[in-house]
Amino acid sequence: RRPVGVEDVGEEDLVGGEVLHIVRDGWLLALASDLCPDEYAPVRNRIVLDPAVAAGSAGGGAGGKADDAEDTADPTAEKDDGGALARTVTSARKSPAWDNLTRA
């Protein structure tokens, strides 16, 4: 897994301390995936099926590349704007199961 960090959040999300909430909720998602998979599953499904998250990942995503991966990326391809974490958290928050997850 890749650590969640402030650099993953787009500059537009820095207004009013929202970046801290995004990082917190990203951290919660990472913990929940391991510690409470039953509550995490419906939220994960919402994220996976969200076109906004998929569209952001198509340009580079939040996953980065492995250290030993060959750099074959198209330099002219659209790059992720750094807001992949914000899009993921926004999608998760829209899940009907979000409140259940945060109480687990």
XYZ file of all heavy atoms in Angstrom:
750
model
N 0.837 -1.203 0.000
C 0.000 0.000 0.000
C 0.862 1.239 0.000
O 1.923 1.261 0.589
C -0.838 0.032 1.260
C -1.924 -0.931 1.183
C -3.117 -0.447 1.935
N -4.055 -1.493 1.702
C -4.721 -2.116 2.607
N -4.635 -1.745 3.838
N -5.517 -3.090 2.306
N 0.333 2.240 -0.593
C 1.017 3.522 -0.640
C 0.530 4.367 0.527
O -0.665 4.468 0.771
C 0.661 4.193 -1.961
C 1.372 5.469 -2.191
C 1.110 5.892 -3.646
N 1.493 7.257 -3.774
C 0.640 8.260 -3.817
N -0.632 8.043 -3.783
N 1.063 9.487 -3.913
N 1.432 5.001 1.261
C 0.999 5.845 2.383
C 0.149 7.013 1.900
O 0.361 7.547 0.819
C 2.302 6.360 2.986
C 3.404 5.614 2.347
C 2.862 4.968 1.099
N -0.808 7.391 2.720
C -1.660 8.534 2.418
C -0.928 9.785 2.868
O -0.416 9.848 3.977
C -3.002 8.409 3.172
C -3.831 9.660 2.988
C -3.748 7.185 2.694
N -0.880 10.778 2.004
C -0.180 11.999 2.379
C -0.862 13.234 1.845
O -1.709 13.165 0.961
N -0.491 14.361 2.394
C -1.081 15.635 2.008
C -0.814 15.925 0.542
O -1.630 16.522 -0.143
C -0.537 16.773 2.894
C -1.021 18.130 2.424
C -0.945 16.543 4.338
N 0.321 15.456 0.008
C 0.638 15.733 -1.384
C -0.348 15.088 -2.348
O -0.392 15.434 -3.514
C 2.063 15.280 -1.726
C 2.277 13.789 -1.660
C 2.595 13.243 -0.274
O 2.642 14.010 0.690
O 2.779 12.029 -0.164
N -1.163 14.147 -1.866
C -2.152 13.480 -2.714
C -3.415 14.305 -2.920
O -4.263 13.936 -3.707
C -2.572 12.135 -2.106
C -1.428 11.141 -2.089
O -0.577 11.220 -2.993
O -1.390 10.314 -1.177
N -3.550 15.389 -2.207
C -4.777 16.181 -2.244
C -4.537 17.414 -3.096
O -3.517 18.079 -2.966
C -5.199 16.582 -0.808
C -6.463 17.402 -0.841
C -5.373 15.340 0.039
N -5.455 17.706 -3.976
C -5.320 18.863 -4.857
C -5.336 20.171 -4.087
O -5.920 20.290 -3.005
N -4.701 21.182 -4.662
C -4.596 22.488 -4.020
C -5.958 23.097 -3.719
O -6.143 23.769 -2.708
C -3.797 23.423 -4.928
C -3.500 24.756 -4.306
C -2.609 25.597 -5.197
O -1.739 25.049 -5.888
O -2.810 26.815 -5.196
N -6.947 22.818 -4.582
C -8.280 23.376 -4.369
C -8.929 22.853 -3.095
O -9.860 23.443 -2.574
C -9.191 23.098 -5.568
C -9.558 21.633 -5.751
C -8.516 20.788 -6.475
O -7.469 21.311 -6.871
O -8.760 19.581 -6.616
N -8.416 21.742 -2.553
C -8.981 21.155 -1.343
C -8.357 21.715 -0.071
O -8.742 21.334 1.025
C -8.807 19.638 -1.355
C -9.563 18.998 -2.496
O -10.751 19.321 -2.633
O -8.968 18.221 -3.234
N -7.377 22.595 -0.208
C -6.680 23.120 0.958
C -7.474 24.196 1.684
O -7.120 24.594 2.774
C -5.318 23.688 0.535
C -4.337 22.656 -0.016
C -3.089 23.345 -0.540
C -3.980 21.629 1.026
N -8.560 24.650 1.094
C -9.350 25.724 1.667
C -10.053 25.251 2.939
O -10.678 24.204 2.965
C -10.393 26.237 0.638
C -11.253 27.326 1.233
C -9.694 26.718 -0.610
N -9.946 26.037 3.985
C -10.697 25.795 5.212
C -10.337 24.513 5.943
O -11.146 23.967 6.662
N -9.137 24.018 5.791
C -8.727 22.826 6.511
C -9.318 21.530 5.989
O -9.145 20.482 6.598
N -9.988 21.565 4.860
C -10.599 20.364 4.310
C -9.543 19.307 4.020
O -9.820 18.114 4.106
C -11.401 20.695 3.054
C -12.015 19.500 2.355
C -13.044 18.703 3.169
O -13.444 19.148 4.257
O -13.432 17.623 2.709
N -8.326 19.733 3.715
C -7.274 18.758 3.429
C -7.060 17.821 4.611
O -6.840 16.618 4.429
C -5.959 19.448 3.000
C -5.331 20.223 4.146
C -4.983 18.434 2.464
N -7.143 18.317 5.815
C -6.968 17.467 6.996
C -8.089 16.439 7.107
O -7.855 15.287 7.458
C -6.905 18.315 8.260
C -5.714 19.259 8.349
C -5.799 20.097 9.620
C -4.403 18.509 8.272
N -9.289 16.840 6.764
C -10.428 15.918 6.799
C -10.293 14.852 5.719
O -10.653 13.693 5.934
C -11.739 16.678 6.639
C -12.024 17.585 7.791
N -13.285 17.996 8.109
C -11.217 18.164 8.715
C -13.240 18.792 9.162
N -11.984 18.906 9.539
N -9.772 15.239 4.567
C -9.581 14.281 3.481
C -8.513 13.259 3.863
O -8.703 12.059 3.679
C -9.232 15.008 2.166
C -10.463 15.777 1.674
C -8.719 14.038 1.113
C -10.189 16.733 0.540
N -7.409 13.736 4.397
C -6.342 12.821 4.814
C -6.838 11.916 5.937
O -6.596 10.708 5.928
C -5.077 13.601 5.226
C -4.044 12.682 5.859
C -4.477 14.305 4.017
N -7.580 12.476 6.888
C -8.142 11.676 7.984
C -9.049 10.581 7.442
O -8.945 9.410 7.827
C -8.932 12.578 8.944
C -9.633 11.806 10.066
C -10.826 12.554 10.628
N -11.823 12.806 9.593
C -12.704 13.799 9.661
N -12.707 14.625 10.672
N -13.581 13.965 8.692
N -9.945 10.952 6.530
C -10.881 9.968 6.000
C -10.187 8.945 5.099
O -10.585 7.791 5.040
C -12.026 10.667 5.268
C -12.950 11.412 6.236
O -12.828 11.206 7.467
O -13.788 12.194 5.766
N -9.126 9.362 4.407
C -8.328 8.417 3.643
C -7.646 7.413 4.547
O -7.583 6.210 4.266
N -7.152 7.891 5.658
C -6.525 7.030 6.674
C -7.569 6.063 7.236
O -7.303 4.879 7.401
C -5.925 7.910 7.763
C -5.274 7.191 8.884
C -4.084 6.514 8.859
C -5.751 7.095 10.226
N -3.811 6.007 10.104
C -4.818 6.345 10.961
C -6.893 7.578 10.879
C -4.973 6.063 12.307
C -7.037 7.303 12.222
C -6.091 6.554 12.921
N -8.768 6.560 7.487
C -9.850 5.718 7.982
C -10.181 4.616 6.979
O -10.369 3.453 7.365
C -11.093 6.572 8.265
C -12.339 5.820 8.697
C -12.145 5.205 10.077
C -13.537 6.740 8.703
N -10.233 4.958 5.701
C -10.503 3.954 4.673
C -9.421 2.876 4.669
O -9.723 1.685 4.549
C -10.599 4.605 3.295
C -11.863 5.389 3.000
C -11.696 6.188 1.716
C -13.062 4.456 2.919
N -8.176 3.284 4.781
C -7.071 2.314 4.787
C -7.162 1.387 5.997
O -6.990 0.169 5.870
C -5.733 3.047 4.775
N -7.462 1.939 7.145
C -7.619 1.116 8.348
C -8.818 0.181 8.227
O -8.731 -1.001 8.552
C -7.808 1.998 9.583
C -6.577 2.683 10.138
C -6.983 3.590 11.301
C -5.540 1.678 10.591
N -9.922 0.723 7.750
C -11.157 -0.059 7.667
C -11.011 -1.241 6.720
O -11.585 -2.311 6.964
C -12.312 0.828 7.215
N -10.233 -1.078 5.669
C -10.080 -2.175 4.714
C -9.466 -3.397 5.380
O -9.759 -4.530 4.993
C -9.242 -1.738 3.516
O -7.896 -1.510 3.892
N -8.653 -3.185 6.408
C -8.027 -4.296 7.125
C -8.782 -4.699 8.389
O -8.875 -5.878 8.709
C -6.588 -3.929 7.527
C -5.650 -3.862 6.333
O -5.913 -4.552 5.326
O -4.664 -3.116 6.408
N -9.318 -3.709 9.099
C -9.862 -3.982 10.432
C -11.356 -4.273 10.472
O -11.821 -4.950 11.385
C -9.546 -2.807 11.367
C -8.055 -2.521 11.569
C -7.865 -1.298 12.449
C -7.352 -3.730 12.162
N -12.107 -3.755 9.540
C -13.546 -4.025 9.530
C -14.025 -4.189 8.088
O -14.729 -3.333 7.549
C -14.338 -2.960 10.291
S -13.897 -1.267 9.945
N -13.622 -5.300 7.471
C -13.931 -5.513 6.051
C -15.418 -5.570 5.732
O -15.821 -5.204 4.622
C -13.229 -6.835 5.728
C -12.986 -7.497 7.038
C -12.875 -6.403 8.049
N -16.243 -6.008 6.677
C -17.689 -6.073 6.400
C -18.284 -4.683 6.226
O -19.150 -4.472 5.374
C -18.417 -6.817 7.516
C -18.061 -8.297 7.558
O -17.609 -8.827 6.513
O -18.225 -8.908 8.620
N -17.854 -3.731 7.030
C -18.343 -2.359 6.921
C -17.692 -1.634 5.743
O -18.278 -0.742 5.139
C -18.077 -1.576 8.214
C -18.915 -2.016 9.388
C -18.354 -3.252 10.106
O -17.282 -3.767 9.717
O -19.003 -3.701 11.077
N -16.454 -2.027 5.430
C -15.704 -1.389 4.348
C -16.214 -1.798 2.960
O -16.221 -0.976 2.033
C -14.219 -1.739 4.486
C -13.355 -1.266 3.350
C -13.042 0.083 3.209
C -12.841 -2.164 2.425
C -12.243 0.525 2.167
C -12.035 -1.727 1.381
C -11.739 -0.386 1.259
O -10.949 0.045 0.229
N -16.665 -3.032 2.804
C -17.031 -3.571 1.487
C -18.025 -2.704 0.717
O -17.788 -2.398 -0.460
C -17.540 -5.001 1.621
N -19.156 -2.274 1.314
C -20.090 -1.465 0.521
C -19.521 -0.090 0.155
O -19.825 0.447 -0.915
C -21.329 -1.339 1.403
C -20.956 -1.818 2.741
C -19.697 -2.614 2.622
N -18.675 0.457 1.011
C -18.046 1.746 0.707
C -17.055 1.557 -0.442
O -16.996 2.354 -1.378
C -17.349 2.327 1.958
C -16.612 3.613 1.618
C -18.366 2.573 3.071
N -16.287 0.483 -0.398
C -15.334 0.173 -1.456
C -16.062 -0.005 -2.791
O -15.610 0.509 -3.822
C -14.564 -1.097 -1.134
C -13.573 -1.484 -2.209
C -12.973 -2.870 -1.941
N -12.097 -3.275 -3.004
C -12.495 -3.761 -4.181
N -13.781 -3.911 -4.441
N -11.622 -4.106 -5.106
N -17.182 -0.680 -2.774
C -17.956 -0.869 -4.007
C -18.378 0.474 -4.594
O -18.358 0.668 -5.805
C -19.165 -1.758 -3.760
C -18.786 -3.191 -3.514
O -17.688 -3.627 -3.855
N -19.680 -3.938 -2.892
N -18.781 1.391 -3.750
C -19.184 2.735 -4.195
C -18.005 3.430 -4.866
O -18.139 4.037 -5.923
C -19.683 3.541 -2.994
C -19.800 5.034 -3.217
C -21.024 5.367 -4.072
N -21.271 6.783 -4.073
C -20.994 7.577 -5.104
N -20.480 7.106 -6.197
N -21.267 8.859 -5.050
N -16.824 3.315 -4.262
C -15.623 3.948 -4.812
C -15.265 3.328 -6.164
O -14.992 4.032 -7.134
C -14.440 3.815 -3.828
C -14.727 4.600 -2.545
C -13.145 4.289 -4.469
C -13.775 4.275 -1.403
N -15.269 2.014 -6.219
C -14.872 1.300 -7.439
C -15.805 1.624 -8.597
O -15.362 1.745 -9.743
C -14.826 -0.223 -7.183
C -14.682 -1.000 -8.471
C -13.698 -0.558 -6.223
N -17.078 1.785 -8.313
C -18.057 2.032 -9.367
C -18.243 3.514 -9.709
O -18.981 3.847 -10.634
C -19.405 1.421 -8.975
C -19.396 -0.101 -8.818
C -20.739 -0.587 -8.287
C -19.044 -0.785 -10.122
N -17.573 4.395 -8.975
C -17.742 5.834 -9.186
C -16.946 6.297 -10.411
O -15.722 6.197 -10.431
C -17.265 6.588 -7.948
C -17.587 8.074 -8.007
O -17.814 8.612 -9.106
O -17.607 8.698 -6.934
N -17.633 6.806 -11.436
C -16.928 7.250 -12.640
C -15.947 8.393 -12.377
O -14.942 8.507 -13.064
C -18.036 7.705 -13.584
C -19.320 7.365 -12.949
C -19.067 6.944 -11.538
N -16.215 9.236 -11.405
C -15.307 10.349 -11.106
C -13.963 9.836 -10.603
O -12.914 10.386 -10.927
C -15.931 11.280 -10.073
N -13.980 8.785 -9.810
C -12.740 8.197 -9.312
C -12.007 7.507 -10.459
O -10.799 7.670 -10.625
C -13.015 7.215 -8.153
C -11.727 6.528 -7.712
C -13.659 7.939 -6.979
N -12.739 6.775 -11.261
C -12.125 6.069 -12.393
C -11.530 7.052 -13.396
O -10.432 6.829 -13.905
C -13.151 5.181 -13.075
N -12.213 8.134 -13.667
C -11.714 9.121 -14.629
C -10.427 9.752 -14.134
O -9.500 9.977 -14.901
C -12.769 10.196 -14.872
N -10.349 10.013 -12.840
C -9.132 10.588 -12.275
C -7.983 9.618 -12.304
O -6.839 9.992 -12.525
N -8.258 8.341 -12.117
C -7.212 7.330 -12.109
C -6.674 7.060 -13.500
O -5.541 6.618 -13.652
C -7.752 6.034 -11.512
O -8.112 6.236 -10.167
N -7.464 7.314 -14.512
C -7.035 7.025 -15.877
C -5.844 7.879 -16.284
O -5.027 7.459 -17.090
C -8.193 7.259 -16.849
N -5.706 9.052 -15.697
C -4.608 9.941 -16.069
C -3.352 9.721 -15.278
O -2.398 10.454 -15.408
N -3.288 8.743 -14.438
C -2.081 8.513 -13.670
C -2.408 7.917 -12.329
O -1.641 7.163 -11.774
N -3.555 8.273 -11.787
C -4.017 7.658 -10.559
C -3.200 7.987 -9.344
O -2.246 8.739 -9.387
N -3.598 7.393 -8.236
C -2.917 7.631 -6.976
C -1.961 6.512 -6.661
O -1.243 6.579 -5.693
C -3.944 7.761 -5.850
N -1.942 5.465 -7.468
C -1.141 4.307 -7.140
C 0.334 4.457 -7.386
O 1.132 3.745 -6.831
N 0.720 5.400 -8.227
C 2.122 5.537 -8.540
C 2.626 4.314 -9.270
O 1.869 3.545 -9.829
N 3.929 4.121 -9.266
C 4.485 2.931 -9.903
C 5.480 2.291 -8.964
O 6.050 2.945 -8.097
C 5.125 3.266 -11.241
C 6.348 4.134 -11.149
C 6.956 4.321 -12.522
C 8.204 5.161 -12.368
N 9.354 4.656 -12.980
N 5.684 1.028 -9.133
C 6.637 0.316 -8.303
C 8.038 0.846 -8.571
O 8.354 1.302 -9.674
C 6.557 -1.181 -8.607
N 8.902 0.774 -7.555
C 10.258 1.281 -7.691
C 11.006 0.633 -8.843
O 11.818 1.269 -9.501
C 11.039 1.063 -6.392
C 10.518 1.929 -5.263
O 9.915 2.980 -5.556
O 10.723 1.559 -4.096
N 10.740 -0.648 -9.097
C 11.466 -1.350 -10.147
C 10.715 -1.370 -11.481
O 11.145 -2.012 -12.424
C 11.779 -2.780 -9.708
C 10.521 -3.583 -9.400
O 9.437 -2.988 -9.295
O 10.640 -4.814 -9.263
N 9.602 -0.625 -11.558
C 8.823 -0.601 -12.797
C 9.531 0.238 -13.846
O 10.112 1.270 -13.551
C 7.424 -0.029 -12.540
N 9.473 -0.241 -15.072
C 10.079 0.492 -16.171
C 9.227 1.719 -16.471
O 7.997 1.653 -16.488
C 10.142 -0.416 -17.388
C 10.869 0.217 -18.556
C 10.974 -0.731 -19.729
O 10.940 -1.956 -19.517
O 11.075 -0.235 -20.854
N 9.873 2.832 -16.713
C 9.150 4.073 -16.994
C 8.771 4.103 -18.473
O 9.542 4.526 -19.322
C 10.004 5.282 -16.630
C 9.223 6.581 -16.686
O 7.982 6.521 -16.839
O 9.839 7.649 -16.565
N 7.557 3.620 -18.766
C 7.090 3.580 -20.150
C 5.907 4.502 -20.356
O 5.236 4.429 -21.367
C 6.686 2.142 -20.539
O 5.658 1.706 -19.651
C 7.869 1.207 -20.491
N 5.653 5.362 -19.394
C 4.495 6.251 -19.485
C 4.656 7.225 -20.643
O 5.752 7.685 -20.948
C 4.334 7.027 -18.179
N 3.548 7.518 -21.262
C 3.527 8.493 -22.351
C 3.683 9.877 -21.738
O 2.834 10.319 -20.963
C 2.199 8.368 -23.089
C 2.050 9.364 -24.227
O 2.962 10.198 -24.420
O 1.014 9.305 -24.902
N 4.753 10.597 -22.061
C 4.969 11.912 -21.451
C 3.904 12.930 -21.850
O 3.758 13.956 -21.191
C 6.351 12.333 -21.962
C 6.607 11.494 -23.160
C 5.806 10.229 -22.983
N 3.154 12.650 -22.912
C 2.107 13.575 -23.331
C 0.751 13.225 -22.727
O -0.210 13.961 -22.888
C 1.969 13.595 -24.867
O 1.589 12.287 -25.304
C 3.274 14.009 -25.526
N 0.689 12.086 -22.013
C -0.581 11.667 -21.413
C -0.953 12.609 -20.278
O -0.100 13.184 -19.608
C -0.469 10.239 -20.896
N -2.241 12.728 -20.061
C -2.743 13.561 -18.976
C -2.311 12.970 -17.638
O -2.438 11.785 -17.383
C -4.271 13.624 -19.038
C -4.874 14.509 -17.972
C -6.394 14.535 -18.052
O -6.944 14.241 -19.110
O -6.997 14.853 -17.030
N -1.762 13.805 -16.778
C -1.304 13.362 -15.465
C -2.384 13.627 -14.425
O -3.205 14.519 -14.577
C -0.031 14.114 -15.051
C 1.133 13.923 -16.004
C 1.619 12.500 -15.984
C 2.814 12.345 -16.902
N 3.121 11.010 -17.235
N -2.346 12.851 -13.344
C -3.272 13.073 -12.245
C -2.968 14.422 -11.621
O -1.813 14.804 -11.478
C -3.126 11.957 -11.212
C -4.065 12.137 -10.043
O -5.245 12.413 -10.293
O -3.621 12.017 -8.899
N -3.985 15.148 -11.248
C -3.813 16.484 -10.684
C -3.480 16.453 -9.202
O -3.401 17.484 -8.566
C -5.071 17.317 -10.921
C -6.292 16.741 -10.232
O -6.187 15.703 -9.542
O -7.374 17.323 -10.378
N -3.284 15.282 -8.637
C -2.981 15.181 -7.217
C -4.236 15.068 -6.376
O -4.160 14.967 -5.166
N -5.399 15.072 -7.004
C -6.641 15.033 -6.257
C -7.276 13.659 -6.194
O -8.450 13.540 -5.861
N -6.531 12.608 -6.513
C -7.103 11.263 -6.509
C -7.601 10.876 -5.123
O -8.665 10.271 -4.995
C -6.082 10.241 -7.014
N -6.854 11.222 -4.099
C -7.288 10.915 -2.740
C -8.576 11.665 -2.424
O -9.520 11.094 -1.873
C -6.207 11.254 -1.714
C -6.594 11.041 -0.255
C -6.928 9.576 0.023
C -5.480 11.511 0.670
N -8.642 12.919 -2.814
C -9.845 13.717 -2.558
C -11.054 13.127 -3.277
O -12.145 13.046 -2.705
C -9.627 15.168 -2.985
N -10.871 12.691 -4.533
C -11.989 12.082 -5.269
C -12.420 10.770 -4.613
O -13.614 10.474 -4.529
C -11.595 11.845 -6.729
C -11.581 13.113 -7.556
C -11.391 12.819 -9.022
N -10.096 12.216 -9.311
C -8.975 12.900 -9.497
N -8.994 14.210 -9.423
N -7.839 12.275 -9.757
N -11.458 9.988 -4.161
C -11.778 8.717 -3.507
C -12.553 8.948 -2.220
O -13.568 8.306 -1.962
C -10.489 7.921 -3.231
O -9.830 7.668 -4.473
C -10.772 6.616 -2.522
N -12.078 9.877 -1.395
C -12.748 10.163 -0.126
C -14.132 10.757 -0.369
O -15.100 10.378 0.306
C -11.874 11.091 0.745
C -12.665 11.647 1.919
C -10.639 10.340 1.233
N -14.255 11.646 -1.337
C -15.558 12.231 -1.653
C -16.549 11.143 -2.050
O -17.700 11.140 -1.608
C -15.424 13.285 -2.759
O -14.563 14.323 -2.294
C -16.763 13.865 -3.149
N -16.094 10.210 -2.854
C -16.941 9.096 -3.267
C -17.336 8.250 -2.059
O -18.503 7.869 -1.910
C -16.219 8.242 -4.298
O -17.024 7.160 -4.686
N -16.379 7.955 -1.213
C -16.660 7.136 -0.024
C -17.689 7.813 0.874
O -18.601 7.156 1.390
C -15.371 6.886 0.754
N -17.563 9.105 1.050
C -18.493 9.848 1.903
C -19.922 9.810 1.361
O -20.874 9.939 2.132
C -18.056 11.300 2.027
C -16.804 11.505 2.857
C -16.385 12.947 2.776
N -15.197 13.238 3.551
C -14.498 14.362 3.428
N -14.887 15.286 2.560
N -13.425 14.560 4.163
N -20.079 9.633 0.051
C -21.412 9.573 -0.557
C -22.065 8.210 -0.401
O -23.249 8.061 -0.682
C -21.318 9.927 -2.041
C -20.958 11.375 -2.293
C -20.805 11.642 -3.780
C -20.387 13.067 -4.041
N -20.149 13.300 -5.475
N -21.304 7.237 0.032
C -21.851 5.886 0.201
C -22.867 5.872 1.333
O -22.642 6.450 2.394
C -20.726 4.905 0.519
O -21.263 3.661 0.922
N -23.996 5.179 1.137
C -24.963 5.030 2.220
C -24.368 4.313 3.434
O -24.860 4.454 4.542
C -26.088 4.208 1.601
C -25.898 4.284 0.134
C -24.462 4.566 -0.105
N -23.292 3.585 3.219
C -22.664 2.832 4.306
C -21.554 3.605 5.017
O -20.940 3.083 5.939
C -22.100 1.512 3.757
N -21.301 4.849 4.614
C -20.212 5.636 5.191
C -20.389 5.805 6.705
O -19.445 5.609 7.467
C -20.098 6.984 4.487
C -19.055 7.874 5.100
C -19.255 8.998 5.835
C -17.622 7.695 5.027
N -18.060 9.547 6.220
C -17.049 8.758 5.734
C -16.795 6.752 4.444
C -15.667 8.903 5.883
C -15.424 6.889 4.587
C -14.863 7.954 5.287
N -21.581 6.204 7.144
C -21.791 6.419 8.576
C -21.561 5.138 9.368
O -20.980 5.176 10.448
C -23.189 6.961 8.850
C -23.325 8.419 8.446
O -22.294 9.121 8.367
O -24.466 8.854 8.186
N -22.016 4.033 8.827
C -21.805 2.743 9.484
C -20.303 2.453 9.603
O -19.840 1.962 10.627
C -22.519 1.635 8.703
C -22.580 0.337 9.469
O -22.713 0.332 10.672
N -22.470 -0.750 8.747
N -19.553 2.748 8.561
C -18.107 2.527 8.565
C -17.433 3.391 9.615
O -16.568 2.922 10.356
C -17.527 2.821 7.178
C -15.996 2.729 7.086
C -15.568 1.271 7.162
C -15.507 3.361 5.816
N -17.836 4.652 9.705
C -17.170 5.552 10.655
C -17.500 5.216 12.101
O -16.782 5.623 13.006
C -17.557 7.021 10.374
O -18.960 7.197 10.508
C -17.080 7.453 9.001
N -18.562 4.465 12.315
C -18.918 4.050 13.680
C -18.335 2.691 14.066
O -18.429 2.285 15.216
C -20.436 3.987 13.818
C -21.073 5.338 13.778
C -22.557 5.235 14.087
N -23.214 6.371 13.443
C -24.251 6.282 12.648
N -24.808 5.130 12.412
N -24.763 7.345 12.096
N -17.779 1.973 13.077
C -17.255 0.617 13.338
C -16.018 0.656 14.219
O -15.303 1.586 14.307
C -16.957 -0.072 12.025
